[in-house]
Amino acid sequence: MYNVRTGYPGHEFQIREALDEVIGSQKAAFYWDKFLEYFFTEADATFYKSLGLNAIRIAFNYRHFEDDMNPRVLKPEGFKHLDRVVDICAKVGIYTILDFHAAAGGQNIDWHADNPTHVASFWVHKDFQDRAIWLWEELARHYKGNPWVAGYNILNEPTDPTHTRLQVWYDRCIKAIHAIDDEHIIFLDGNTFASDFSHFEGHLAERWPNCVYSVHDYSPFGFPASQEKYVGSDEQKAKVRRDYMDKSAWIRERGLPIWNGEFGPVYARKQYDGEPTEGINESRYLLLKDQLEVYDQEKISWSIWLYKDIGFQGMVYVGLDTPYMKRFEAFLLKKYTLAVDSWGADIKSIKHVHETIEKFITDAVPDPSHLELYPFPLWGVRKRVGRLVRNILLSEYLVREWAEHFRGLDEKALDELASSFKFENCVRRDGLNSVLREHHNISTNQ
């Protein structure tokens, strides 16, 4: 689960712990089980297929399969919802790609690895690495021979500051998986949030056989921080193409297979962005269309991010009139105003706070080279301040406030909240979906 995707602050493990405290572990387990059940059903798979899409990337957290206090012991319910979604997709002709999005210790320094710090401890403690390989061995045994599982995306957006430990881990993990299942494709993200392959060594077709290399091609034009509106000018189109070509250059030069594992703009919401909403979104749809044109020209496969959320990026999103959105309306506005989330945040209302802290740091560190901490230049001072102050410090103080919205609810009310995420209670983002349908030459009348 993502904070920006479902509305909670901070990190998944924090809100799970807080909900246990507020309503008890039994009721909390009931809510999460219903949430996962309703989040993706046969209706979702059917709609997804109607857009002309034939594969979906399923992100998962290690915590679904094991506990930190009971490592390397599969939870009895571990495969329950992953199996259910794989089977649902298979019924309508959709392949699934299993995406290890959050590993024990945090394989990257950001929130989406369910990492409560800005340190990727996965690369510091070998036992975290060993546990990830153990889990992939269990997954390989479980899905070996399943023709509708297209492959395994074995580690999402790693950030190894040494650039060497990732390669060693890839060596070990690929070998362990192939000892059990050598048929499924393995998808390998580059280091530094899938952006850097330049440190990979050797003859990789032999070193890592049956592997595909995954870039993540997010365009700066698709986010609120962009300094210009995307209008599809020749210069802007050239930049969109150049950005992808730069990210994939290392892979293309070596004749290795490429997959774009993530891309896609975020969208304005009228309740927050007001009158400019429609114009902003039309600009983002145009950007998406032009990105797809580049991928067609380069003949690569892709997986758009993402399918469903509460209105920021999904092909479908939870309706404002649902019990969940009504209950959390004021809280979500607060989160937006304070830019609590990292993904696509608009910091205009707290810019003065940010700039004060940034100036304090840059004044204290007069040598600019000392500010170039990994993963610079992807993360500069502003990004690091945002991660530490907003996404970690501020967000953890809001976790309990989020959980208190559930206090006193019985199972019937919890079920109603979770059911807000059912397909029939969601709104279709027609502009985005039309781009996908037109790209696949599918009639919009479907």
Side-chain angles (χ1 to χ4, degrees):
M1 293 183 296
Y2 267 22
N3 46 33
V4 71
R5 191 175 191 176
T6 58
Y8 66 81
H11 306 83
E12 180 178 343
F13 83 94
Q14 293 172 319
I15 55 111
R16 285 180 176 271
E17 288 178 354
L19 201 58
D20 281 352
E21 293 176 8
V22 170
I23 64 174
S25 58
Q26 186 174 344
K27 280 185 177 180
F30 172 85
Y31 173 77
W32 295 123
D33 186 64
K34 287 298 181 183
F35 170 84
L36 291 172
E37 176 186 337
Y38 297 149
F39 196 88
F40 198 89
T41 65
E42 290 187 18
D44 292 286
T46 300
F47 176 72
Y48 188 88
K49 179 71 173 180
S50 77
L51 301 177
L53 305 172
N54 67 354
I56 191 168
R57 181 171 175 253
I58 306 174
F60 65 89
N61 189 323
Y62 80 97
R63 300 178 198 272
H64 291 293
F65 296 94
E66 61 164 337
D67 283 321
D68 288 323
M69 297 304 292
N70 195 23
R72 297 180 182 83
V73 176
L74 272 176
K75 292 181 179 180
E77 72 278 13
F79 283 101
K80 175 181 176 181
H81 288 291
L82 188 55
D83 279 349
R84 183 181 61 81
V85 174
V86 168
D87 291 344
I88 285 172
C89 288
K91 285 179 183 177
V92 297
I94 298 172
Y95 292 95
T96 47
I97 296 168
L98 309 186
D99 157 34
F100 198 2
H101 222 77
Q107 79 278 9
N108 69 47
I109 57 181
D110 222 340
W111 53 276
H112 44 84
D114 202 11
N115 182 353
T117 76
H118 71 302
V119 176
S121 294
F122 184 91
W123 304 112
V124 179
H125 300 286
K126 183 174 177 291
D127 191 61
F128 288 139
Q129 300 171 34
D130 293 346
R131 282 169 62 184
I133 291 173
W134 165 82
L135 182 51
W136 271 118
E137 288 174 330
E138 296 297 326
L139 289 159
R141 288 189 190 97
H142 191 78
Y143 291 110
K144 179 180 180 179
N146 189 323
W148 286 103
V149 174
Y152 310 137
N153 192 182
I154 59 175
L155 204 61
N156 179 67
E157 296 193 346
T159 59
D160 166 24
T162 72
H163 299 285
T164 58
R165 293 174 185 171
L166 172 61
Q167 294 182 68
V168 173
W169 188 82
Y170 274 173
D171 285 337
R172 295 175 58 220
C173 191
I174 292 167
K175 183 178 180 181
I177 292 172
H178 281 169
I180 299 166
D181 175 5
D182 61 359
E183 293 184 349
H184 280 113
I185 298 168
I186 293 177
F187 296 88
L188 303 177
D189 283 19
N191 196 28
T192 315
F193 302 111
S195 71
D196 184 6
F197 299 85
S198 65
H199 297 272
F200 290 178
E201 298 176 341
H203 193 282
L204 294 182
E206 296 177 2
R207 183 181 183 184
W208 298 331
N210 199 25
C211 290
V212 172
Y213 295 80
S214 173
V215 298
H216 289 180
D217 187 32
Y218 289 105
S219 170
F221 290 126
F223 292 84
S226 176
Q227 297 300 305
E228 59 180 297
K229 181 178 180 180
Y230 188 80
V231 295
S233 68
D234 290 343
E235 293 79 9
Q236 289 176 329
K237 284 185 176 181
K239 176 171 170 48
V240 167
R241 179 173 181 79
R242 185 169 61 251
D243 285 352
Y244 166 74
M245 298 301 280
D246 287 347
K247 291 170 187 172
S248 62
W250 186 94
I251 311 171
R252 290 183 292 104
E253 287 165 3
R254 287 154 182 80
L256 297 168
I258 303 172
W259 177 57
N260 182 7
E262 288 186 22
F263 74 103
V266 300
Y267 300 99
R269 293 160 288 185
K270 197 146 193 174
Q271 68 268 33
Y272 305 142
D273 300 290
E275 194 64 32
T277 295
E278 187 174 341
I280 293 171
N281 290 345
E282 287 300 323
S283 169
R284 305 275 167 83
Y285 301 143
L286 178 59
L287 169 62
L288 177 63
K289 184 177 181 179
D290 288 346
Q291 285 186 282
L292 291 173
E293 186 175 329
V294 171
Y295 307 149
D296 281 353
Q297 291 167 353
E298 293 302 309
K299 296 180 170 59
I300 66 160
S301 297
W302 44 263
S303 177
I304 191 170
W305 190 265
L306 48 75
Y307 170 63
K308 181 186 287 186
D309 65 2
I310 58 171
F312 198 38
Q313 196 170 16
M315 304 172 200
V316 300
Y317 56 91
V318 180
L320 293 177
D321 60 347
T322 59
Y324 187 90
M325 295 301 285
K326 287 179 178 178
R327 178 169 287 266
F328 285 94
E329 181 180 3
F331 183 78
L332 292 173
L333 176 60
K334 179 178 182 178
K335 274 188 64 191
Y336 171 81
T337 304
L338 296 175
V340 173
D341 298 331
S342 171
W343 191 237
D346 188 340
I347 67 168
K348 61 178 179 289
S349 63
I350 58 164
K351 190 176 180 182
H352 61 292
V353 177
H354 246 274
E355 290 177 344
T356 300
I357 299 172
E358 291 166 23
K359 185 177 186 303
F360 172 74
I361 292 172
T362 54
D363 286 350
V365 186
D367 187 336
S369 68
H370 294 169
L371 296 170
E372 296 177 1
L373 304 178
Y374 179 83
F376 183 87
L378 216 57
W379 275 27
V381 172
R382 171 159 293 185
K383 177 65 176 177
R384 194 170 290 267
V385 167
R387 173 69 178 137
L388 289 167
V389 176
R390 295 180 0 249
N391 313 145
I392 293 178
L393 181 60
L394 175 59
S395 72
E396 70 180 359
Y397 282 114
L398 295 176
V399 167
R400 186 60 183 250
E401 182 179 338
W402 176 87
E404 286 293 339
H405 287 75
F406 291 82
R407 186 174 292 281
L409 300 183
D410 59 17
E411 287 192 351
K412 183 175 182 294
L414 291 171
D415 184 82
E416 288 176 351
L417 275 188
S419 70
S420 300
F421 290 84
K422 284 183 176 180
F423 178 77
E424 52 266 37
N425 295 324
C426 289
V427 179
R428 304 178 190 186
R429 188 176 294 284
D430 291 333
L432 164 58
N433 298 328
S434 292
V435 171
L436 295 175
R437 281 198 168 108
E438 289 169 11
H439 180 259
H440 292 98
N441 297 315
I442 295 173
S443 170
T444 56
N445 293 324
Q446 288 190 24

